[in-house]
Amino acid sequence: MVPLLAVLSACGPIPVDQAERVCLRDAELARAPRTDVTVGIGTGSGGTQSFGRIGMEISGDYLAGRDPGQVFDRCVMRRSGQMPQRALAEQPGWQGRI
């Protein structure tokens, strides 16, 4: 019974300041896709080998052209049940343009 209560309580609202930190990522992805490129060379008993990886993360909000500030506000409201205490532009770590 206790594990079930723990799972159900995890579905409830989170504090607004925590929601703001979590939702910053959604706003960043609404502003621009995130890319990751890794390239390297390794040596071993089989000789020298090169490797590479390219990753891209893109959100539906970006594809739909949604405003990052509105994406942020909706996300915070959905997760905490409250509007953000600070606008997206005032969030520590926000480097995008609204």
Side-chain angles (χ1 to χ4, degrees), residues 58-95:
I58 191 164
S59 76
D61 293 320
Y62 173 77
L63 293 173
R66 293 189 183 104
D67 177 76
Q70 291 175 349
V71 169
F72 177 76
D73 290 348
R74 281 194 316 268
C75 177
V76 172
M77 178 62 93
R78 185 177 64 249
R79 291 177 180 267
S80 71
Q82 300 176 44
M83 287 301 291
Q85 295 173 345
R86 291 180 287 185
L88 177 59
E90 299 170 3
Q91 294 295 320
W94 173 250
Q95 297 180 11

Side-chain angles (χ1 to χ4, degrees), residues 19-28 72 88 91-94:
E20 289 174 344
R21 288 190 302 271
V22 170
C23 293
L24 191 57
R25 177 176 167 77
D26 287 1
E28 289 169 348
F72 177 76
L88 177 59
Q91 294 295 320
W94 173 250

